[in-house]
Amino acid sequence: MDAKLLKSRFEDIFKRSNGELFFAPGRINLIGEHTDYIGGHVLPCAITIGTYAVCAKRGDHQIRLYSENFPDSGIVCLDLSATAYKKEDGWANYPKGMIHYLLKAGGQIDSGMDILFHGTIPNGAGLSSSASIEMLTGSILKKLFSLDVSDTELALIGKRVENEFIGVNSGIMDQFAVQKGKKNMAILLNCDKLEHEMIPAAFNGYKIVIMNTNKRRELAASKYNERRSECDEALSELRQYRNIASLAELTSEEFNKLESLLSCETLRKRARHAVNENERTLSAAEALKSNDLKTFGELMNASHRSLRDDYEVTGDELDALAEAAWKEGALGARMTGAGFGGCAIAIVESEETAGFIRAVSSHYRSRTGLEASFYIADISDGAAEWREK
Ligand code: GLA
């Protein structure tokens, strides 16, 4: 990214200079899918594609927001005293939500500001462009107004924006990964206690290839919320027999003995995924620590099958990519993020990546009639001020 160019865009749009630069990454999740909101474990990494911003305080109470990704929305203007959700503000509800809840939490944000956003995350790819904008805004506000707020608090405020402002009942994984990411590290996060451990993502000799279905994620929010309530329902049924606070407290062995007590096959499948995926994530973290990439890859494949067969969030496009990747010799491949379209990831031998991409691309085209896009994931630091290196 060219810092000078970004700054000159800020000057063009807002007719002022001396903006400060910030960056927040996107994220991929290596394994631990749909386990954050059941209090389980996840293993995401922040990536170098993300969102840049140029920003400066103002002398009045006006907030002006502009995104180069949504030029048709123009400059969205609001007053510091009127930060409620408005459907017509579209993308700007994400930064606005951060301002709204930071103010509610007592943050001394006492002047307006101008912010120009420039995202390099493909839209709707499931690589957390929304958490990226949220944590970017959080980091900007923290710095400009010297707010006394920790990384974890910022992540929780971002989650609140999703849950209460936007209306998606998502968990903490995306915001946490985007805020706390570390270069070349995967984050093993316990989403119940919010305790985490950094694990070197040493895929020596391999690359993480991101494979984008380029399929619009239709009804993703409503299906996501539906899965979440199915897990809640399964938990409340199981609580009649076992004193547990979350599905993540069960081992797969314990769950096998309990599953027949659930009232229907759908709940059995959802809960089975949740319990097994949580266990797989812990095993995968161990495998990564001991550099056992073969086991790691097998756990990724099992995760995809479980998301396909039990959780039913993959869809033909993600299956086509993962299955093509398996066929083309990936060490492991699976969908990443919420599913219902978006991206899959594959661990591929560095020297084989070009051929791998060609072959998967052709399988995908003939199975779905769509063109996939491919990016190599570089694991990045979390949201922060940014200086061009
Ligand atoms: C989305 C949500 C996360 C998480 C994943 C699925 O990315 O925002 O909280 O639930 O889906 O693992």
Side-chain angles (χ1 to χ4, degrees):
M1 184 50 53
D2 182 339
K4 271 210 199 89
L5 189 68
L6 271 183
K7 285 192 160 188
S8 83
R9 292 290 299 142
F10 179 79
E11 289 174 23
D12 289 348
I13 297 289
F14 294 118
K15 312 289 178 239
R16 58 182 297 196
S17 52
N18 296 331
E20 292 180 55
L21 286 164
F22 286 78
F23 171 73
R27 67 97 189 88
I28 51 172
N29 187 20
L30 297 176
I31 192 164
E33 217 65 86
H34 289 276
T35 44
D36 59 352
Y37 51 79
I38 60 134
H41 293 79
V42 293
L43 191 64
C45 314
I47 52 177
T48 50
I49 44 182
T51 320
Y52 295 82
V54 188
C55 59
K57 272 190 188 179
R58 294 173 56 88
D60 57 16
H61 282 181
Q62 278 291 302
I63 298 167
R64 299 191 298 173
L65 307 167
Y66 181 82
S67 168
E68 303 228 278
N69 302 77
F70 300 95
D72 293 347
S73 307
I75 301 179
V76 179
C77 295
L78 49 129
D79 191 272
L80 196 51
S81 62
T83 54
Y85 176 86
K86 268 202 216 144
K87 190 163 189 266
E88 63 270 27
D89 286 344
W91 74 272
N93 279 303
Y94 293 94
K96 192 161 61 147
M98 288 302 291
I99 301 170
H100 184 79
Y101 290 116
L102 275 164
L103 279 168
K104 270 200 156 174
Q108 296 294 312
I109 301 170
D110 50 13
S111 79
M113 66 205 88
D114 294 328
I115 314 180
L116 172 117
F117 293 89
H118 178 102
T120 57
I121 305 178
N123 224 349
L127 300 175
S128 282
S129 56
S130 62
S132 179
I133 296 178
E134 287 154 9
M135 295 302 96
L136 182 61
T137 310
S139 305
I140 291 172
L141 294 166
K142 179 173 172 165
K143 169 74 196 328
L144 291 189
F145 299 97
S146 309
L147 302 180
D148 180 18
V149 55
S150 71
D151 284 344
T152 303
E153 283 163 343
L154 278 184
L156 285 167
I157 287 173
K159 176 175 180 292
R160 201 166 165 202
V161 171
E162 296 287 342
N163 298 165
E164 296 174 29
F165 221 63
I166 309 292
V168 183
N169 230 343
S170 48
I172 189 66
M173 170 171 76
D174 301 347
Q175 289 77 11
F176 199 93
V178 167
Q179 187 64 28
K180 300 279 274 189
K182 280 273 163 291
K183 193 175 163 55
N184 296 334
M185 294 283 182
I187 310 170
L188 176 65
L189 173 66
N190 174 328
C191 300
D192 177 33
K193 301 200 165 61
L194 293 187
E195 289 165 1
H196 72 287
E197 181 187 345
M198 292 294 177
I199 302 179
F203 293 103
N204 291 334
Y206 290 85
K207 291 212 182 303
I208 305 173
V209 179
I210 303 177
M211 311 182 285
N212 189 347
T213 58
N214 286 322
K215 189 211 161 201
R216 275 189 52 175
R217 293 193 305 152
E218 277 149 18
L219 292 176
S222 62
K223 286 189 196 153
Y224 182 96
N225 288 346
E226 182 186 283
R227 291 298 178 281
R228 182 166 183 161
S229 39
E230 286 163 349
C231 284
D232 289 345
E233 223 174 299
L235 174 65
S236 79
E237 288 192 15
L238 291 177
R239 278 163 63 91
Q240 295 167 26
Y241 312 99
R242 278 288 292 270
N243 181 21
I244 48 170
S246 80
L247 290 175
E249 283 178 28
L250 294 173
T251 63
S252 54
E253 212 173 301
E254 286 166 333
F255 177 74
N256 289 344
K257 290 186 196 132
L258 291 170
E259 68 169 19
S260 62
L261 300 167
L262 285 166
S263 62
C264 68
E265 182 58 13
T266 301
L267 294 191
R268 267 192 287 280
K269 284 161 81 170
R270 305 303 187 243
R272 187 182 306 137
H273 167 76
V275 171
N276 291 346
E277 181 76 355
N278 184 47
E279 216 167 69
R280 269 191 291 272
T281 306
L282 291 169
S283 312
E286 285 311 312
L288 192 57
K289 277 189 213 166
S290 49
N291 213 14
D292 178 0
L293 295 184
K294 186 167 175 288
T295 302
F296 191 86
E298 282 162 5
L299 289 162
M300 286 176 77
N301 299 347
S303 163
H304 186 90
R305 286 193 294 270
S306 172
L307 289 153
R308 181 188 65 191
D309 303 337
D310 282 340
Y311 220 61
E312 297 177 285
V313 293
T314 55
D316 195 44
E317 291 78 8
L318 283 167
D319 289 342
L321 282 178
E323 289 162 19
W326 296 339
K327 204 184 210 159
E328 292 305 322
L331 200 61
R334 58 180 292 279
M335 58 154 269
T336 192
F340 317 106
C343 288
I345 51 170
I347 313 286
V348 182
E349 260 182 70
S350 302
E351 267 139 46
E352 306 293 332
T353 47
F356 171 87
I357 289 172
R358 259 196 311 278
V360 170
S361 175
S362 137
H363 287 303
Y364 184 66
R365 192 179 307 118
S366 55
R367 178 159 160 189
T368 64
L370 296 172
E371 286 299 325
S373 314
F374 297 84
Y375 333 95
I376 304 295
D378 277 322
I379 302 180
S380 151
D381 283 325
E385 271 182 89
W386 179 70
R387 259 172 221 93
E388 205 171 20
K389 304 220 164 80

